[in-house]
């Protein structure tokens, strides 16, 4: 999967606890993304990054924060997990230009109980 | 709003028959369009893209897609389906304003029966 590693791959956590998901890339791509996948919704963008310490919100960013201190790492934090955040989370990377495709990690299945 | 639609939740086809998975888009300007496939418990894999040029683009695993500007469509096709093609397929469009985000459709599940 194009040099992208997500960790953990599976996690069960309790409501109200903070959770951090990690995405690590070895491709040196500038852009990194976090998506969530839910039935009937496809993939929805949570946050994205266009460089080290440069991040911005996607369409479903409430309750999530991100950080990118190094080119290769992009962290997604659920500040206080809720059951509505039970989902499969995907990290993706892409190069600079609009005509390049994004490459996806294998996903993290998060269950909030 | 700029978006992409996949009107079919599921497509069923017999092995050996041609398949089509539909996608329509609504964006301003010339679109950059993509198809991805997702196998169970895996991430999305890139299949093909349309940027410019020939309206028929060829991709991985024998898939192709036809860009139709007048109908604002980008349907995925394969002349002869395989059981192993059974998966979830996503169409996506890259917005050419602002950050140039990838926007995905809701996905179409393809089931190929033996």
């Amino acid at each position: 999967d194009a040099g992208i590693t997500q960790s953990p791959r599976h996690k069960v956590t309790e409501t109200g606890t903070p959770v951090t998901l990690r995405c690590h890339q070895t491709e040196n791509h500038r852009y990194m993304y976090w998506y969530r996948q839910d039935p009937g919704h496809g993939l929805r963008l949570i946050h994205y990054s266009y460089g080290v310490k440069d991040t911005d919100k996607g369409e479903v960013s409430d309750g999530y924060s991100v950080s990118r201190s190094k080119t290769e790492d992009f962290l997604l934090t659920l500040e206080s997990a809720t059951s509505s955040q039970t989902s499969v989370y995907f990290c993706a990377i892409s190069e600079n230009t609009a005509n390049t495709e994004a490459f996806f990690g294998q996903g993290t299945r998060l269950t909030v109980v | 709003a700029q978006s992409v639609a996949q009107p079919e939740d599921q497509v069923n086809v017999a092995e050996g028959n041609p398949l089509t998975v539909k996608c329509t888009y609504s964006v301003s300007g010339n679109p950059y369009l993509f198809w991805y496939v997702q196998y169970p418990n895996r991430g999305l894999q890139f299949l093909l893209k349309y940027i410019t040029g020939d309206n028929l683009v060829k991709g991985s695993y024998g898939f192709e897609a036809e860009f139709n500007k007048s109908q604002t469509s980008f349907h995925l096709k394969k002349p002869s389906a395989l059981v192993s093609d059974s998966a979830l397929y996503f169409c996506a469009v890259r917005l050419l304003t602002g950050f140039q985000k990838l926007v995905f459709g809701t996905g179409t599940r393809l089931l190929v029966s033996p």
Side-chain angles (χ1 to χ4, degrees):
Chain A
D1 288 310
I4 308 170
T5 304
Q6 291 186 232
S7 59
R9 293 292 314 281
H10 302 271
K11 186 171 183 65
V12 179
T13 192
E14 293 185 350
T15 299
T17 61
V19 177
T20 296
L21 309 183
R22 181 179 183 245
C23 178
H24 178 80
Q25 61 146 328
T26 58
E27 305 295 325
N28 201 37
H29 282 354
R30 178 181 175 187
Y31 295 97
M32 299 185 76
Y33 315 80
W34 277 108
Y35 286 88
R36 60 177 289 174
Q37 182 180 18
D38 304 288
H41 291 278
L43 276 81
R44 293 180 290 175
L45 183 64
I46 305 171
H47 281 279
Y48 59 93
S49 170
Y50 45 98
V52 174
K53 297 187 180 179
D54 292 324
T55 66
D56 207 345
K57 297 178 180 180
E59 57 185 307
V60 290
S61 59
D62 287 349
Y64 301 95
S65 62
V66 290
S67 65
R68 191 171 179 197
S69 59
K70 298 185 290 184
T71 298
E72 58 266 34
D73 290 327
F74 192 33
L75 304 180
L76 176 71
T77 297
L78 288 66
E79 293 141 6
S80 177
T82 68
S83 58
S84 64
Q85 294 176 311
T86 293
S87 186
V88 181
Y89 292 85
F90 287 99
C91 174
I93 64 174
S94 69
E95 292 184 288
N96 295 341
T97 56
N99 61 357
T100 58
E101 57 271 26
F103 297 97
F104 284 79
Q106 289 193 305
T108 295
R109 184 173 296 276
L110 176 68
T111 303
V112 183
V113 299
Chain B
Q2 302 188 86
S3 63
V4 61
Q6 295 181 243
E8 302 156 317
D9 290 336
Q10 183 165 310
V11 170
N12 298 302
V13 64
E15 187 173 34
N17 284 357
L19 69 87
T20 298
V21 182
K22 296 179 180 178
C23 172
T24 59
Y25 64 89
S26 173
V27 297
S28 55
N30 295 317
Y32 291 171
L33 296 157
F34 302 81
W35 274 103
Y36 286 84
V37 61
Q38 184 181 31
Y39 298 103
N41 300 313
R42 299 294 303 274
L44 276 70
Q45 297 178 31
F46 169 73
L47 276 179
L48 51 80
K49 64 183 177 184
Y50 172 81
I51 303 301
T52 188
D54 193 346
N55 289 344
L56 185 65
V57 294
K58 296 186 182 298
S60 307
Y61 312 121
F63 283 94
E64 58 190 27
E66 185 171 12
F67 172 66
N68 187 318
K69 189 171 184 177
S70 63
Q71 297 185 3
T72 62
S73 66
F74 188 55
H75 300 332
L76 181 71
K77 300 181 180 182
K78 188 173 183 182
S80 179
L82 299 173
V83 173
S84 57
D85 291 330
S86 298
L88 189 55
Y89 291 81
F90 289 97
C91 182
V93 62
R94 188 176 287 283
L95 305 184
L96 298 183
T97 56
F99 176 67
Q100 300 178 337
K101 296 179 289 187
L102 258 183
V103 176
F104 286 85
T106 53
T108 297
R109 185 165 301 281
L110 174 67
L111 289 178
V112 182
S113 55

